Amino acid sequence: MTDTTTALATIGMVSIDCDDAAAMAKFYAAALGWEVAYEGDGYAMLQHGDQRLGFGQTPDYRRPSWPDDGHKQFHLDLAADDVPQACDRLVELGATRPEQQPGGDNWTVLLDPAGHPICVTKLDNWV
């Protein structure tokens, strides 16, 4: 656990570059159950309590590759009680399921609408 009395800063928001901020906000709002707090001018932000996730539309956006060729950028780990059911629903919302799946039974890799990998893992792995 980090001693916050010596921290220089805290994370105010995680922002993700993409080609369509509105589409990403819609996808992640449905996936996480968070509210869209702002959308407009190529930017969107979700909020859940004091947690924020932003999406910035960039004109020269380059989709990451999977499997990773060194251009992955980042990935989110999502925890679910029922991984297959969560993955099926995420695909319905606009994610894609790449052919290469390195996680065995521990996690499933999906790609969000902008191509960023998402690892869906068992909630029990995090508690």
Side-chain angles (χ1 to χ4, degrees):
M1 185 158 153
T2 303
D3 180 7
T4 57
T5 60
T6 61
L8 297 175
T10 187
I11 294 175
M13 175 171 56
V14 172
S15 294
I16 300 171
D17 291 346
C18 60
D19 54 355
D20 187 339
M24 289 286 281
K26 182 179 177 182
F27 173 80
Y28 278 103
L32 300 173
W34 290 19
E35 296 293 322
V36 177
Y38 175 82
E39 183 183 329
D41 298 325
Y43 189 80
M45 181 181 76
L46 303 182
Q47 187 162 358
H48 180 75
D50 65 352
Q51 300 174 10
R52 292 167 207 80
L53 185 59
F55 305 97
Q57 202 162 298
T58 57
D60 58 348
Y61 177 73
R62 181 176 152 209
R63 295 174 74 85
S65 60
W66 182 261
D68 182 23
D69 69 356
H71 187 69
K72 182 168 61 170
Q73 302 169 357
F74 81 97
H75 75 273
L76 296 177
D77 290 334
L78 302 182
D81 287 320
D82 185 330
V83 172
Q85 180 183 28
C87 289
D88 289 346
R89 180 68 180 126
L90 290 166
V91 168
E92 289 173 7
L93 293 170
T96 56
R97 189 184 312 254
E99 191 172 312
Q100 184 172 357
Q101 292 292 321
D105 291 338
N106 291 323
W107 67 80
T108 299
V109 175
L110 299 177
L111 304 177
D112 73 16
H116 300 109
I118 306 167
C119 291
V120 185
T121 67
K122 295 176 184 177
L123 181 60
D124 292 347
N125 291 343
W126 299 100
V127 289

